[in-house]
Amino acid sequence: MTDRSLPRAVRLATPQAREVVVEVAKLHGVCIRPVPLKRLDTHTRQWETIDVPCGATMDSKCPSCAKRNKQLRMAQCREGWHLDEEPAITPDPASDEQRWLIEFRADIQAQRDQADRLGEDTTDLDAVIVGLDEEINEAGMRGNVLGRTTPKRSRSTRRRQDAPNLPKRTMTNTTLGRVFTGSDGKVYRPSLFVTLTLPSYGKVMNGTPVDPDAYDYARAARDALHFSKLIDRFVQNLRRVAGYDVQYFASVEPQKRLAPHLHMAVRGTLPRAEIKQIAAATYHQVWWPSADEVRFDGDHLPVWEDGIGYLDPATGEVLPTWDQALDQLDADDDAQPAHVIRFGDQVDVKGVLAGTPDADQCIRYLSKYLTKSISEALGRQAQREHAARFVDALRYEPCSPTCPNWLRYGVQPKGAREGMTPGRCRGKAHKPEHLGYAGRRVLVSRKWSNKTLTEHKQDRRTWVLEALGQTDEATDPHRYVWRPVPAGDANLEPLAVRLLRSIHERQRWRAHLRELEAQATGQDPSVTEGVAA
Ligand SMILES: [Zn+2]
Ligand SMILES: [Zn+2]
């Protein structure tokens, strides 16, 4: 059936024109990799296909969503940095959106697993899952949807990481920093912009090692893998020293030498020297089994036996399970952590005042990399070679307790199952676009602002609808039932047609917004330039 509401050119769109359509869609900020979903309206009993934006957070494959995400993040950063009243945080019950996200996540997972079983490419579905997991976290739920399958291990107190020797203030129940009154009677609320980097792994010039053979790739790889834990420790120590519930908005991005580093907008202020002291005293110990000695390699790999697990191929001896390996570690008084990670000496601390050009610049800095992936930032050949060596170093490093690489070091990965091969882990950390850091690129503390990213999105939606003279009516949360569109569904229109429809919609409401704006300012709409999407 032909949709007569679309212009002729749209209806005639042919696959050959697809590339052009995609370019036009990018220009209009329209998602170019929309996820089609079937929606049942329980009031009318009608099924409809709806395109949901892919929601890419930094995907060059969808610059439109990446750009929108960046703008939302900048708004969120600005909102919380210099807050002068405590944010009202109330834990709310799982909203309909949250429930829907989880159901949808489960459906996509099932699709992905089926594709995997059939030996099909799962790259796209994997990307959707990563995006959904971030979305689920944004929606205010913590942790992974698959949940914890085993009870949390309690590590013996002997191994508890010492709080480093740092000054400690009495904790006050506030998230706001100190206030200063200037000689003019004006109240100042200074905040901080902190940059933390990892140590040196060897001399670099222009982002590449001067002597690649001497560069400590192994250490660089392990540091990148555990960087997010180090950030957690830093925040704990920061709060202890500051004596209040310090809030932050941070982004993790690669330096030129490809090591992750951290930019952090901190609400409130501390003496520069104290921040440096905290960074210097902060460390994280990784209490994992040792991955230094290769026990199985090449054709000599552990073999799987149903009901038993992985065995030594030569002796038939059962390899220790993940839990057994950790128990051994606990029982050994002389055991050393598998890795200790610290920050490097380069600590940059800057005081920032609300509403100054300085603050704006920092916010731009914090979001600079949000539309780029690491591999995209690689320019010269030498840097690509450097990246390749880094990926090599990560290949056999265990990225998590479930990583198949543990088999190489004689330990069964947590949740071991048939078909695991060292060097073939599909974890995010091993991929060239992540280079060891599998954590989130944007870290926002819980009491940063009164709004979650979802609420920021909602704000935007409400604003647009109001501008269009429509009300954002509260919908019955149980009105719609969503289902994924099965792969290869013949009823799904070609992407080009769907993109053109979205572009058409976008143009329509933009024109409408321009008119409204012109009415408000008394100008001729034809000379008013576009309203930002
Ligand atoms: Zn998109
Ligand atoms: Zn892994």
Side-chain angles (χ1 to χ4, degrees):
M1 205 176 63
T2 316
D3 185 346
R4 293 281 157 197
S5 70
L6 293 176
R8 186 178 151 77
V10 175
R11 280 182 273 123
L12 293 179
T14 56
Q16 292 96 302
R18 188 168 148 167
E19 309 255 303
V20 182
V21 174
V22 167
E23 287 312 310
V24 176
K26 284 184 197 166
L27 282 175
H28 283 84
V30 165
C31 174
I32 60 167
R33 308 175 84 203
V35 182
L37 290 176
K38 286 189 169 183
R39 191 179 74 176
L40 171 67
D41 185 335
T42 56
H43 292 186
T44 62
R45 307 304 301 170
Q46 294 288 313
W47 280 99
E48 212 183 335
T49 304
I50 306 270
D51 272 328
V52 177
C54 75
T57 50
M58 51 178 173
D59 191 343
S60 62
K61 288 179 195 143
C62 184
S64 304
C65 287
K67 197 172 155 205
R68 181 149 4 183
N69 180 63
K70 180 175 172 172
Q71 286 166 349
L72 287 166
R73 286 301 193 181
M74 287 172 86
Q76 190 188 23
C77 181
R78 201 167 288 125
E79 172 100 4
W81 204 358
H82 312 282
L83 221 60
D84 52 8
E85 257 177 72
E86 293 292 347
I89 308 284
T90 42
D92 23 35
S95 66
D96 190 53
E97 191 202 352
Q98 290 171 335
R99 272 193 296 273
W100 174 75
L101 278 168
I102 295 213
E103 277 175 32
F104 182 49
R105 168 75 169 75
D107 286 343
I108 294 286
Q109 181 77 43
Q111 274 191 34
R112 189 219 164 271
D113 292 346
Q114 199 195 349
D116 193 31
R117 270 196 300 279
L118 296 172
E120 289 167 8
D121 183 21
T122 60
T123 318
D124 281 356
L125 288 169
D126 283 335
V128 173
I129 288 173
V130 170
L132 274 172
D133 277 345
E134 284 178 15
E135 200 67 27
I136 285 166
N137 281 317
E138 289 309 338
M141 285 171 285
R142 303 196 165 252
N144 189 289
V145 272
L146 299 178
R148 192 179 285 286
T149 46
T150 46
K152 196 177 164 69
R153 280 182 77 85
S154 52
R155 191 139 286 290
S156 56
T157 46
R158 185 159 49 86
R159 289 279 157 70
R160 197 176 294 152
Q161 312 213 15
D162 297 330
N165 193 16
L166 284 169
K168 195 173 150 187
R169 296 198 175 87
T170 319
M171 216 46 187
T172 49
N173 188 22
T174 172
T175 72
L176 306 178
R178 282 184 292 172
V179 166
F180 300 95
T181 308
S183 53
D184 52 356
K186 214 173 139 189
V187 175
Y188 293 94
R189 194 175 283 281
S191 293
L192 289 178
F193 186 70
V194 179
T195 302
L196 297 168
T197 47
L198 283 166
S200 167
Y201 307 112
K203 199 167 182 237
V204 283
M205 234 162 72
N206 271 325
T208 51
V210 173
D211 178 3
D213 291 330
Y215 194 79
D216 196 346
Y217 281 101
R219 181 161 197 94
R222 287 187 184 178
D223 279 2
L225 284 168
H226 299 287
F227 190 56
S228 54
K229 286 286 183 344
L230 188 65
I231 300 172
D232 288 349
R233 297 272 169 216
F234 176 76
V235 171
Q236 284 167 13
N237 290 334
L238 179 65
R239 287 184 174 150
R240 204 173 284 139
V241 173
Y244 70 97
D245 192 6
V246 179
Q247 301 299 306
Y248 60 90
F249 180 105
S251 72
V252 177
E253 62 182 52
Q255 285 179 287
K256 241 184 179 179
R257 60 172 181 150
L258 304 180
H261 76 158
L262 178 84
H263 293 302
M264 187 180 249
V266 175
R267 184 151 81 227
T269 193
L270 260 77
R272 219 166 284 225
E274 266 181 20
I275 298 281
K276 293 194 172 183
Q277 204 184 345
I278 297 164
T282 298
Y283 64 91
H284 172 69
Q285 296 178 336
V286 182
W287 286 101
W288 278 359
S290 164
D292 289 330
E293 194 196 319
V294 179
R295 281 194 55 200
F296 303 100
D297 193 16
D299 293 336
H300 180 65
L301 291 177
V303 287
W304 172 260
E305 186 146 335
D306 280 336
I308 298 179
Y310 280 97
L311 317 176
D312 184 317
T315 66
E317 169 208 1
V318 184
L319 300 182
T321 62
W322 177 255
D323 279 326
Q324 286 166 345
L326 287 191
D327 287 343
Q328 277 169 23
L329 201 58
D330 267 354
D332 179 0
D333 285 342
D334 302 322
Q336 296 294 313
H339 187 62
V340 180
I341 168 173
R342 295 176 178 280
F343 290 113
D345 303 329
Q346 258 187 45
V347 179
D348 195 64
V349 188
K350 198 172 148 146
V352 179
L353 286 172
T356 59
D358 235 20
D360 278 346
Q361 206 199 337
C362 289
I363 291 169
R364 274 199 299 277
Y365 217 82
L366 275 162
S367 51
K368 192 169 94 182
Y369 279 83
L370 294 187
T371 48
K372 276 193 205 159
S373 72
I374 293 179
S375 39
E376 234 182 304
L378 296 178
R380 296 166 306 113
Q381 176 67 14
Q383 225 188 349
R384 286 198 293 273
E385 282 167 13
H386 175 47
R389 284 190 294 267
F390 203 156
V391 172
D392 243 20
L394 284 160
R395 181 158 181 215
Y396 290 112
E397 276 302 327
C399 67
S400 69
T402 56
C403 185
N405 287 348
W406 285 114
L407 291 174
R408 183 177 171 87
Y409 308 101
V411 173
Q412 297 197 50
K414 187 174 172 184
R417 53 185 167 76
E418 192 176 5
M420 293 180 128
T421 312
R424 298 249 185 97
C425 176
R426 298 165 89 166
K428 203 171 156 184
H430 302 282
K431 302 204 162 133
E433 61 266 40
H434 297 288
L435 291 176
Y437 180 77
R440 305 178 61 195
R441 294 275 288 267
V442 179
L443 310 162
V444 188
S445 62
R446 210 168 64 84
K447 300 174 191 166
W448 176 253
S449 70
N450 281 310
K451 288 174 187 164
T452 63
L453 195 61
T454 310
E455 287 169 314
H456 281 287
K457 282 186 192 163
Q458 192 60 38
D459 272 4
R460 229 181 156 71
R461 191 181 125 83
T462 308
W463 176 78
V464 168
L465 288 172
E466 271 171 13
L468 290 173
Q470 295 174 5
T471 47
D472 195 2
E473 62 192 284
T475 47
D476 170 2
H478 305 295
R479 177 163 179 179
Y480 299 111
V481 176
W482 298 81
R483 287 286 170 264
V485 174
D489 186 336
N491 293 322
L492 188 65
E493 287 178 300
L495 181 65
V497 174
R498 288 154 54 211
L499 289 184
L500 282 167
R501 184 175 292 121
S502 301
I503 295 167
H504 177 65
E505 280 299 304
R506 177 75 46 129
Q507 276 173 325
R508 218 166 48 88
W509 73 252
R510 267 205 189 153
H512 193 95
L513 282 176
R514 263 205 298 278
E515 257 170 53
L516 290 173
E517 206 187 42
Q519 279 168 18
T521 57
Q523 278 174 358
D524 178 357
S526 59
V527 294
T528 317
E529 247 326 286
V531 179

